[in-house]
Amino acid sequence: MKLAIKYITTLIVLMFFAFACSDIEENLAPQAEVNIHKEGISDPASPNFHGRLLGATGFNGCSQCHASDLSGGVTGSACNTTDCHPSIDVHQTGILDPSSTAFHAKYIKGINWELDQCATCHGTDYGGGYSAGGCNTTGCHTAAEGPEACNTCHGDPSDQAMIAPPQDLLDNSEGTIGIGAHTAHLTDAAISDNVACIECHTVPSSLNSPGHLDATAGAELIFGTLSTTVTNVEGTQYYDSDRGLFSPAPAYDMATGTCSGSYCHGNFKNGNTDNVVSWTAGSDGAKCGSCHGDPDTGDPLPGGSHFQVATCESCHAAVVTRGADGLEFVAPEKHINGKLNVFGTEIDY
C-alpha cells in the first residue's frame, strides 16, 4: 500500500512540473538571432561596413569566427566567395616581400593585373580606403597613377620615365623577346631620339583601356607614322622619277621575332628595302650598313641613286661627324626622323 502511495505522489509531482514549465515557456520571449555585427556590416556606405574595421583588427578578428582561410568556419558564412572576396587569400605572410611567392605583385600578375580587386579595400586611388593601408605612401608606388603607372609592370619600377624593359612582364632583364631592343629604340642616342612607344604599339590612356589587359599572347604590334614614312615623293627636291614611290608596309613576325618593311630599317629611297632585322640582334641589328649600305660589312655607303662618296659628313655634317673610331652622331635626333638632312637643311623626300 505504501509503495502505491509513493508512486502516485511521484506522478503528481511530475505532472505539476510539466504544467508549470509549459506555462513558463509560453511566457518566454523568443531568443534573438546571435549576431555580433552591427547593421550595415555589408554596406560600403555605412560607417559599420566591415572593410572599415580591417584597419584596426586586420583579418585576425574575422578568422576567429569565419576560419583562418575565411571559408566560413563556425558561422557557415564564407568571405571568399565569387560575390565578395575571391582574392582574399592574397593577404598572406610575404605579401610585401619581393622574394616571397606570396608577394602581391606575383599574385596580381596571376589574375591578369586586375587591380580592381585591390581598389575594393585600398580605395580607387589606392590611398588606403577601408583598409587604411595605402599603396602610394609606402615608398613603392609614388607616381601620380600609383600602382597603375606604366613602369610598375613593364619598365623600371624605380624610374617613372622608363616604361619599357629592361624588365619585362615575366621579370626577365635580358635575352628574351619581351626585352629585345626596347632600350636601344627608346634611349640609345647612337641610333635615334625619336622612336616613341606609339610607333610600334597602341599606347593605352589608362590601365583598363580596351586592348590593354587582354588575353592575347605577346604584345600587339601596330606601327605608327614614322615607320611608314613615304619617300621619293614626286615634287620633292631629290625626287627620282626612275625609282618610283617607296611606301613602307612594316610587319613583325611574332614567331621569328623579326621586323621587315619599315622605313626605320631600310625601306626608303636608297635604303636596303629587303632588310629583315631580328628584335634580339643587339648591335648587329643597328649596323649602318644593315639599313643603307652593305649589311655584311656595315659599310654605310647607300646604293640606288645616291652619290658614291664615302665621306658622309661632307653632306650630312648636321647629323654625323668623323671621329677617331669612324662616324659618330652629332645630332641623333636628326637621324631616322622621317626627313632628309642635307647641308644642314631638313627636307621631305
Side-chain angles (χ1 to χ4, degrees), residues 264-266 271-277 283-300:
C264 308
H265 285 283
N272 297 337
T273 57
D274 295 328
N275 181 34
V276 177
V277 61
S283 59
D284 287 338
K287 291 179 179 179
C288 298
S290 65
C291 297
H292 52 82
D294 190 326
D296 295 324
T297 65
D299 186 341

Side-chain angles (χ1 to χ4, degrees), residues 132-145:
C135 306
N136 307 334
T137 57
T138 60
C140 295
H141 305 293
T142 56
E145 301 87 351

Side-chain angles (χ1 to χ4, degrees), residues 36-37 41 49-70 79 85 88 91-92 95 121-122 128 130-133:
I36 66 169
H37 297 308
I41 191 68
F49 181 56
H50 62 284
R52 300 179 188 275
L53 305 178
L54 295 177
T57 67
F59 286 106
N60 291 331
C62 305
S63 62
Q64 291 179 18
C65 295
H66 293 277
S68 59
D69 62 356
L70 304 175
C79 305
H85 305 291
I88 199 103
H91 297 88
Q92 301 174 6
I95 191 70
C121 291
H122 294 279
Y130 304 129
S131 72

Side-chain angles (χ1 to χ4, degrees), residues 35-50 53:
N35 191 343
I36 66 169
H37 297 308
K38 297 179 180 180
E39 184 178 354
I41 191 68
S42 298
D43 180 5
S46 170
N48 296 323
F49 181 56
H50 62 284
L53 305 178

Side-chain angles (χ1 to χ4, degrees), residues 117-199:
Q117 295 188 22
C118 304
T120 300
C121 291
H122 294 279
T124 55
D125 63 352
Y126 307 99
Y130 304 129
S131 72
C135 306
N136 307 334
T137 57
T138 60
C140 295
H141 305 293
T142 56
E145 301 87 351
E148 294 186 9
C150 299
N151 67 310
T152 299
C153 299
H154 45 86
D156 185 347
S158 64
D159 184 355
Q160 298 174 24
M162 190 60 190
I163 60 173
Q167 176 181 309
D168 66 8
L169 295 180
L170 299 177
D171 298 328
N172 298 308
S173 58
E174 61 182 354
T176 68
I177 290 293
I179 297 165
H182 275 109
T183 299
H185 279 72
L186 297 173
T187 65
D188 192 345
I191 299 177
S192 174
D193 283 349
N194 295 278
V195 183
C197 302
I198 199 170
E199 289 300 333

